[in-house]
Each structure stands twice: as structure tokens, then as C-alpha cells.
Amino acid sequence: MWAGTDALLATEPGNASGPAATAATATAASHQGRPLGSCFRGANGTESHGGEIASPWFSTAFGLLGLGSNLVAFCALVGSSRRMHSRSRSSFLVFLCGLVATDFMGLLVTFSVVVPYHFLRFDWGRVDPGCHLCGFLGFAMVFFGHCPLLLSATMAAERFLGIYRPFAHSVRMSKRRAWSLVSAVWAVGFALAALPLLGLGEYTLQYPGSWCFLTLLHDPRNVAFSLLFALLGMFCVGISFLLNTVSMVALCRLYHGAESAQRRRDSEVEMMVQLVGIMVVASVCWLPLLILIAQTVLQDPPNGLAPGQISRETEKNLLIWLRVATWNQILDPWVYILFRRAVLRRIYPSFKPRASIISLYPVINPSLRRKLTQQSVLP
């Protein structure tokens, strides 16, 4: 998702790169004959803000922690995928690899803007008068922010089918098809993030004048894009919760039913625990921000605001909940690292392999039965 945004969304006392500096830069740039781009229209440039301070070293540590966590998780996932013969588990690992890769690239891309900004304290108006860097940063934050939510919903649907239609899922869900679904999710995220670049909404500098994101103004285009962003995110969280709940209930019934000794469920339980962990992390980190965005654009703007401005309270709340959302890309890899079978068996010693799922369906064609049984054997 977003690298070190806690540090990015900060200014120091006396620093000349806050909203006040943005207004001053706009005046200076207009005197020099360099009109600033549209990303500066939403900046409330009347005063400096020294309270929202974060050390550049914190930004560096935050980004390195996120990059390191995702790299460790990705290496573990690649190793597990190579040793895995179960098609169901292999496809789930592909989705996890896609999630971790998305978080890693989101950290890396935004980190390349955060670190130079924090150590150089460059002036946005002078460095990026045409808003190209601001547009890139806004695009990256929307794309790498929404893709984990889309992937979480896709993984919930994949597990739902894996539990309720195990044979059809085992036959149809290959690694190649799983990677195709991951690519489709990336394509949807790319299309969403590109909408402001095509004229629907805008990416503008946000409080305290050091980062770019969608604009919470009440003109039709920004309202439409903000609602699309918020409602799509809430839909992903909601569908993940619904499908994961149904899958967990079904898995608990099978696990404690009369046929529990006939079906191996250690891998299924592991996948569901990891998926529920990912869902909980995404919900806690993202829902406050998504709800704030939807509420802001649906409510009437406060009286007395100049055109192109939002209330200071809304700016501060947006900053706070965005900081909460930045923890998603650090916590995601730890869900996989901590909730593997090796760790779960230490917590729950009776968590041991059981017989194959195929034994529940004795009437299946013998050749297909042998094939699926071989694919469901753990290494």
C-alpha cells in the first residue's frame, strides 16, 4: 500500500513546505509566468502547521520494516508454493503472493517519493508545478490501497468455492488461472486509479500540504470518484465478511461432524485462519477512512468555506485515518508469517493431518479420484 505515510503527512515548525508555503509558491510561480496545475487548488494555504511532525528517520524505519516484512513473507510463500502439490492450496498461495507483492510494490513506489521529500524538504510548487508527481503519488495511493481490498474479496470467493465445490474448484483452479485472476484485480485497481487522470475527480495536495490523494470537494466529478472509491472498498470488505463467515460455519460443521476423520482439513483451516486475519486487518485499517470519505462527500459542506477548500476538521480526520490505513501493508505479511500450520500446531497440538477430502465422495470416477487424491497430498 503506502510507504511511510505517517512521515510523509507531516511538516516541521518553520518548514517552508506546508500549505502556507504552497500559497506563497503559487504567488511566486505566477509572477514568474509558471501557472501551477490543478492539484494545488484544494490546498488551504493560509497558515503553517508545525504540529503534524514526524521524523524522517521514522519514515525510513517505517518503510524498511514494511519492505522487510513483505520480503520475508514473499520468500516463504514462494518456497511453500514450490513444495505444494495440493491444487487448492497452491492457488491460495498464488493469491497470497499477489497480495504480498502488491503491498511490497506499494511500499517501494511511495517510499521513493517519501524519502526524498522528507530529507530534501522540496517545495511541491517548484519541483512539480505541472502536478505530474502529485498525480503519480495520488494514483499510486489509490491503486496500491484498493488492490489489497479487491484481492481479499477475491480470496474469500475462492475459498468459498473451494469449500462448497471442492471437486470443481480442484479441477478448474490452476496456478495459471489464479494468476489470471490476480492480474484482473490489478487491472481493476489500475482502471479505478486512472479515472482522475481521465477527468473524473482530481488528485490534489492534502493537509498539511505534503501528500496527494483524491479530493473531497462537492463538485459532481469529485463526489462521483470519492463515492466510487469508498463504496467499492466497503463492498469488498462486506463481501469478504459474508463469504468468510459462511465458509467458516461450513468448515466448522465438517470439522466436528461424523465424517471429520475422513476429510483432511488442516490445510483448509490454515487457509481460513489466514484469510480471516487478512479480512480483520483490512477492516480495522480501512473502514474508518472509507466511511469518512463517503460521509464527507454526501453531507452538505460547512458554511463559510471558500471554493476549493474543505473544513480543517475534515482535513485532520482524513490525515488520522489515512495513517491508520498505512498499517495494512505491514500487518498483511505477518498474518501469513504467524498463522502457518507450524505456528498453529504449537497453539493447538491436535491440529494434525487427516485423510483426503476425496473419501467423502466414494462414487466419483476412479481415474479422477486418483488424480485429485494425488493433488491433495501434502509434501
Side-chain angles (χ1 to χ4, degrees), residues 10 49 155 157 184 195 197 206 211 214 219 245 353 359-360:
H49 307 281
M155 293 164 68
L195 289 178
L197 307 180
Q206 305 291 330
W211 60 292
L214 54 82
D219 59 282
T245 301
S359 59
L360 282 178

Side-chain angles (χ1 to χ4, degrees), residues 107-173:
L107 285 163
L108 189 63
V109 170
T110 55
F111 198 50
S112 64
V113 178
V114 171
V115 172
Y117 171 80
H118 244 290
F119 283 96
L120 300 178
R121 294 295 181 180
F122 59 79
D123 190 321
W124 280 92
R126 296 182 184 277
V127 172
D128 186 35
C131 293
H132 302 298
L133 181 61
C134 184
F136 170 77
L137 183 58
F139 176 93
M141 294 181 75
V142 170
F143 174 77
F144 290 112
H146 237 300
C147 279
L149 298 178
L150 293 167
L151 282 170
S152 178
T154 305
M155 293 164 68
E158 186 269 346
R159 277 294 79 221
F160 176 83
L161 293 176
I163 291 175
Y164 278 90
R165 296 290 185 271
F167 292 115
H169 177 273
S170 182
V171 172
R172 297 175 183 176
M173 186 56 68

Side-chain angles (χ1 to χ4, degrees), residues 72-266:
V72 170
F74 187 77
C75 292
L77 282 167
V78 171
S80 297
S81 180
R82 290 176 177 176
R83 297 190 303 268
M84 185 62 58
H85 299 293
S86 170
R87 178 169 293 192
S88 175
R89 178 63 179 166
S90 295
S91 61
F92 185 78
L93 289 178
V94 167
F95 288 112
L96 279 178
C97 284
L99 178 63
V100 172
T102 301
D103 286 336
F104 180 85
M105 290 304 300
L107 285 163
L108 189 63
V109 170
T110 55
F111 198 50
S112 64
V113 178
V114 171
V115 172
Y117 171 80
H118 244 290
F119 283 96
L120 300 178
R121 294 295 181 180
F122 59 79
D123 190 321
W124 280 92
R126 296 182 184 277
V127 172
D128 186 35
C131 293
H132 302 298
L133 181 61
C134 184
F136 170 77
L137 183 58
F139 176 93
M141 294 181 75
V142 170
F143 174 77
F144 290 112
H146 237 300
C147 279
L149 298 178
L150 293 167
L151 282 170
S152 178
T154 305
M155 293 164 68
E158 186 269 346
R159 277 294 79 221
F160 176 83
L161 293 176
I163 291 175
Y164 278 90
R165 296 290 185 271
F167 292 115
H169 177 273
S170 182
V171 172
R172 297 175 183 176
M173 186 56 68
S174 62
K175 281 187 177 182
R176 184 175 181 178
R177 181 162 294 184
W179 277 117
S180 297
L181 289 174
V182 172
S183 300
V185 167
W186 288 338
V188 172
F190 185 92
L192 175 68
L195 289 178
L197 307 180
L198 300 176
L200 183 64
E202 292 179 300
Y203 291 130
T204 56
L205 281 174
Q206 305 291 330
Y207 172 84
S210 55
W211 60 292
C212 296
F213 196 47
L214 54 82
T215 308
L216 300 182
L217 298 179
H218 287 76
D219 59 282
R221 292 183 178 181
N222 282 309
V223 169
F225 180 66
S226 298
L227 279 178
L228 179 61
F229 178 88
L231 294 179
L232 180 59
M234 287 188 280
F235 173 79
C236 291
V237 173
I239 200 68
S240 297
F241 178 81
L242 176 63
L243 294 179
N244 287 335
T245 301
V246 174
S247 299
M248 283 293 293
V249 170
L251 194 59
C252 288
R253 287 179 177 176
L254 289 172
Y255 196 91
H256 296 288
E259 74 279 7
S260 61
Q262 296 179 318
R263 181 174 177 176
R264 189 202 69 236
R265 287 182 202 88
D266 56 328

Side-chain angles (χ1 to χ4, degrees), residues 292-325:
L292 172 67
I293 292 173
Q295 285 180 336
T296 301
V297 297
L298 289 176
Q299 293 174 349
D300 293 332
N303 296 326
L305 286 178
Q309 291 186 351
I310 60 177
S311 69
R312 183 53 43 82
E313 181 182 1
T314 300
E315 289 179 322
K316 291 182 177 180
N317 289 334
L318 183 63
L319 178 67
I320 291 171
W321 294 125
L322 187 70
R323 287 176 171 178
V324 174

